[in-house]
Amino acid sequence: MKYLMKSITILLLSSALLAQVPDKDRVIAGAERAFEKAAKAVTSPAPGCAVGVSVAGQSVFEKAFGLAEMEHNIPNTPLAIFESGSVAKQFTAAALVLLAQDGKLSLDDPVRKHIPEFPDYGTPLTIRHLLNHTAGLRDWGSVMQLTGAGRGDRVVTQDIAFDVIIRQKALDFTPGAEYSYSNSGYNLAAVLVERVSKQKFGDFLAERIFKPLGMKNSSIRDDYRRIVPGRAQAYSRDGANAPWRLNMPIMNVYGNGGMLTTVGDWLKWNAMLDSRSMGAPLVEALETRGVLNDGRKNAYALGLINTTYKGIKDISHGGSTAGYQTFLARYPDHKLSVAVLCNGTSPSAGGLAASITDEILGPFPPPPAQPEATAMTEDQMKKYVGLWRDEKTHAPARTLIQNGALRFGGITLRPLAEGKFQGGPATYTFKMGSDGNPVAVEGNDDGGVFRFIAEREWKPTAAELAAVAGDWYSEEAQATLKIALEGDKAFVVVRPVAKLSQTPLYKDHLTAQGYVFWFTRDASGKIDKMHVGTGRMRDMPFERVRR
């Protein structure tokens, strides 16, 4: 009993320590150390980042490094305006919560109540589903990429994205059944704000959020041609030694992103969330985690991820668009906020934010002890080595032995018992067949569940490849793809010029550039349809073009 009481005492002391609000000097010193380390690691000339840190609602550290505009050698400053990426989603969600508080809608309204042209999928799809990423909507960017001219390849407007979304005849899953991140839901959310409020999206945010909070440098990029004084241009490169190239979001799409802002303005927003100056119901709604149909909770709330970081409560979100990458974190138990806005594809905005947090709040208590691993020889591991197909997405994963450990899709598995492993926060259980070999891998991770099916490597014959060759068309994607053969190699040809080599996976499955292509057969066994899937678009059907 005394050992139990001692453990409880240590836990309580650790919790009390972690919940302390750090003093201003400690915050500044910690932020300075992390900032200097990141700034020195950047080889000039290069883009960089602006960093802001606040404690108890007061901004105490705002600095920047790198170039805001490389052509004219203009440096970044703390007042430089960057694009938010997906951190904007919390503002879109807040707009809908405010409209709900006005009595103009309910978050549990079916989307079709306010957008009647939205498809009827035979089951209620609500506004809350959009905001929790549980709607099952295909991501419009992934769909558009199938045409050969996706995001970044042409100017995309809100109307074009909306047209792609409402053209889809099927969902990835039943609304509320699963979590799957999709920008489509937040584009629809912005449309909802405009239709219900009778205002432009940017005007509504300015009137209800930006102006009341003094966010004078924040606006919505609804016209990419608009001149924005003080804006940092965005850049990217293809490798550490490659030249930087301009990479701006040439689009008029918003709701999922598209917010122009500064680190100082973001800290004002987080100060409101801490103080609840716009009302506790708004903050509580934004921070309430999503609940799936079967009762499982999801870390994604309304435009915010409600989780923990090294044992402390963490309310945050990251973002990226074109060459911009961003991160906004709030640690409510410490009244601490960290904002990072970057205008290049390196360094990592999320990594820099974590480094700042570590310097200010660390050292942290050791993580909870993991279940004790059991001994397993490489010979015992061999039966788990193989190729696997994700039951939902058709995506491949492999198990292999590396440095004496079993790895699944790049994750090291710690053996807990025969057929059961721990990989990070997830558990992996191998289901065995009658022959003693695994036939499936099942697991769970923070409320999510997954299942992979054992597959054999497919080495297609010339006849099997010939059976899938030809032109394929999808009305939903408005795209035509050609499967072309050159010798024993298959390629997918996407207009206007893309020609991607395909690699066989398992029976009737090929992969290229992160997409999986699989073929289904009719009752006679003849291939009749092609399906294309990726992370945010699980199954886009294509019909063979008859000549």
Side-chain angles (χ1 to χ4, degrees), residues 82-97:
F82 297 74
E83 184 148 335
S84 66
S86 289
V87 179
K89 286 181 168 69
Q90 59 199 277
F91 295 88
T92 305
L96 285 171
V97 174

Side-chain angles (χ1 to χ4, degrees), residues 77-256:
T77 74
L79 291 177
I81 292 173
F82 297 74
E83 184 148 335
S84 66
S86 289
V87 179
K89 286 181 168 69
Q90 59 199 277
F91 295 88
T92 305
L96 285 171
V97 174
L98 290 173
L99 286 171
Q101 292 177 351
D102 293 343
K104 294 183 177 180
L105 57 79
S106 166
L107 297 187
D108 296 310
D109 282 345
V111 173
R112 280 173 54 81
K113 178 178 179 179
H114 306 283
I115 306 178
E117 62 267 52
F118 186 69
D120 182 356
Y121 292 111
T123 186
L125 195 159
T126 68
I127 297 172
R128 193 181 301 277
H129 287 141
L130 302 181
L131 302 181
N132 285 152
H133 294 297
T134 58
L137 291 170
R138 296 165 176 159
D139 189 279
W140 64 266
S142 297
V143 174
M144 189 175 289
Q145 197 68 41
L146 295 174
T147 67
R151 294 177 62 169
D153 298 317
R154 60 174 166 175
V155 177
V156 184
T157 66
Q158 190 80 336
D159 287 341
I160 290 174
F162 181 73
D163 180 66
V164 173
I165 295 167
I166 65 171
R167 195 189 308 123
Q168 304 308 302
K169 298 176 181 178
L171 300 170
D172 279 347
F173 50 80
T174 301
E178 302 177 38
Y179 164 86
S180 181
Y181 194 92
S182 173
N183 286 302
S184 295
Y186 275 81
N187 292 112
L188 286 175
V191 173
L192 282 162
V193 171
E194 292 182 331
R195 293 201 180 182
V196 174
S197 71
K198 309 295 192 241
Q199 290 179 276
K200 290 184 177 180
F201 182 68
D203 292 343
F204 183 89
L205 290 187
E207 178 184 313
R208 300 294 296 272
I209 296 175
F210 298 158
K211 289 180 181 178
L213 297 181
M215 298 172 65
K216 297 179 181 180
N217 298 305
S218 296
S219 63
I220 296 300
R221 188 255 303 120
D222 52 11
D223 182 355
Y224 75 92
R225 299 168 300 178
R226 176 165 57 96
I227 302 299
V228 181
R231 174 163 50 181
Q233 300 294 295
Y235 303 89
S236 64
R237 58 182 177 179
D238 295 329
N241 298 317
W244 288 101
R245 298 173 64 87
L246 191 67
N247 186 6
M248 292 293 289
I250 308 300
M251 64 177 72
N252 297 332
V253 178
Y254 49 86
N256 62 319

Side-chain angles (χ1 to χ4, degrees), residues 172-173 177-178 296 389-395 448-451 518 538-539:
D172 279 347
F173 50 80
E178 302 177 38
R296 288 180 290 127
R389 172 177 54 84
D390 188 308
E391 190 175 54
K392 297 174 182 175
T393 68
H394 290 250
V449 294
F450 55 84
R451 189 168 191 266
W518 70 96
R538 292 187 184 176
D539 183 358

